[in-house]
Amino acid sequence: MQLRVDISSQVLSIRELVYETLKEAILTGQFAQGAHLKERDIAENFGVSTTPVKEALRRLDQEGLVITKPRVGTYVSSRIMSSIEEICWARSALEGVAARLAALKITDPETEAMRGHMERIRQATLKKDGAVIYELNEAFHNMILDIAQNDYIKQQIGAVRAFDRAVRKQALSDNQEFGRAYKEHHLIFEKIAERDPDGAEEAMRTISGEPRPTLRRISDRRASRNASGEAALRMGRPIGLGFGQDEDQRDGPFVGPDSL
């Protein structure tokens, strides 16, 4: 039985939906490194033409998540920044600098705007609304980038976030993370509001640089999938992906973004 994404019910454009779903599947390990991604199979599972699939794969190639070999095909890269530790270290360094700059540049109106935003995060935390908390936390970090006023740092952080957004969203589905995330974000806010650049950078590095238990579980699961895929490739067996293989080689159907 094939499971399709209901394109008509999505807010994202078809192109963005295909792109985001494929990226999340790669980053969460649903696709093993080295797996062959076939445009036609992907398009059939989405119920779309191959045009948005081609564009999604082109973007993923630019980001280093897949490698396209002319006249051969497109494969999941074996050099993805797949270690949660590596991702956290990179984001920690960049976001720490952004927090330092924000503490040096923040104005009184910006401080009040951040204070109001922290109250919204607090309310969402009390309700244990993971989806809202995730969006508010993303907005909080974006506020810091805006206050920091450094386009280079903003661009670099955006590139790293492309790798860890999927796993962090999964981490905030764990209720145990809600209270801790609020306390940590509130500490960052306090240090920035106090115009304490050293404290702001340290607080940001602390929450960005150390993988949470939930993130470690996701990382371990992804590493296990990649190891299984590599072993299958060494033995000359196909990798079960859901799509990207011949019909009789599939281990199961492709699933949409809600099940990733």
Side-chain angles (χ1 to χ4, degrees):
M1 175 181 175
Q2 291 291 332
L3 297 180
R4 296 175 181 269
V5 177
D6 184 0
I7 297 295
S8 63
S9 67
Q10 302 297 323
V11 176
L12 294 174
S13 69
I14 293 175
R15 292 182 178 183
E16 285 298 316
L17 175 63
V18 174
Y19 164 71
E20 291 291 345
T21 304
L22 288 176
K23 178 163 65 175
E24 187 167 348
I26 292 170
L27 293 175
T28 55
Q30 186 175 349
F31 294 159
Q33 294 181 9
H36 188 188
L37 302 180
K38 295 183 178 180
E39 294 176 4
R40 191 175 301 279
D41 287 351
I42 297 172
E44 288 178 358
N45 278 276
F46 274 107
V48 300
S49 70
T50 57
T51 300
V53 176
K54 289 178 184 292
E55 180 171 329
L57 293 177
R58 178 185 60 78
R59 292 173 64 182
L60 293 170
D61 184 276
Q62 292 175 341
E63 293 176 355
L65 293 178
V66 303
I67 296 175
T68 300
K69 301 177 181 179
R71 297 182 296 280
V72 177
T74 300
Y75 298 83
V76 177
S77 174
S78 59
R79 297 183 179 182
I80 298 173
M81 192 194 300
S82 57
S83 162
I84 295 296
E85 284 81 6
E86 290 178 3
I87 294 170
C88 287
W89 292 335
R91 180 166 179 169
S92 169
L94 291 165
E95 297 234 30
V97 173
R100 168 177 287 276
L101 293 174
L104 292 170
K105 299 179 181 180
I106 193 168
T107 63
D108 290 341
E110 288 170 336
T111 299
E112 291 309 307
M114 288 193 74
R115 193 185 310 279
H117 192 80
M118 284 306 308
E119 175 59 21
R120 288 190 285 276
I121 294 177
R122 188 182 75 85
Q123 292 295 332
T125 301
L126 291 174
K127 296 177 182 178
K128 296 183 178 180
D129 191 333
V132 173
I133 292 172
Y134 171 79
E135 295 298 333
L136 289 173
N137 284 351
E138 285 284 292
F140 175 82
H141 287 275
N142 288 334
M143 290 178 75
I144 292 175
L145 289 179
D146 289 339
I147 295 169
Q149 300 178 46
N150 187 300
D151 289 340
Y152 177 77
I153 293 295
K154 186 173 185 177
Q155 182 180 28
Q156 297 305 310
I157 289 175
V160 175
R161 283 184 183 176
F163 288 90
D164 79 344
R165 183 174 290 113
V167 290
R168 286 188 180 275
K169 193 169 185 178
Q170 289 188 46
L172 277 175
S173 65
D174 185 345
N175 290 351
Q176 296 179 355
E177 295 287 338
F178 295 161
R180 172 162 44 188
Y182 171 74
K183 291 178 182 178
E184 292 170 339
H185 283 78
H186 194 272
L187 177 61
I188 294 170
F189 161 67
E190 287 181 337
K191 296 302 180 182
I192 291 176
E194 293 168 0
R195 295 173 171 79
D196 177 0
D198 291 338
E201 181 172 1
E202 181 180 357
M204 181 65 81
R205 281 179 173 269
T206 297
I207 77 161
S208 298
E210 182 61 29
R212 298 289 180 262
T214 305
L215 292 180
R216 288 188 181 278
R217 288 195 296 272
I218 295 169
S219 178
D220 291 344
R221 187 163 60 246
R222 181 168 54 184
S224 176
R225 287 170 177 165
N226 284 333
S228 297
E230 289 169 2
L233 286 173
R234 286 196 299 270
M235 298 178 68
R237 296 200 311 268
I239 304 169
L241 298 175
F243 63 77
Q245 300 175 40
D246 295 334
E247 190 70 34
D248 59 352
Q249 294 177 336
R250 295 177 184 163
D251 289 346
F254 171 68
V255 292
D258 291 339
S259 56
L260 294 176

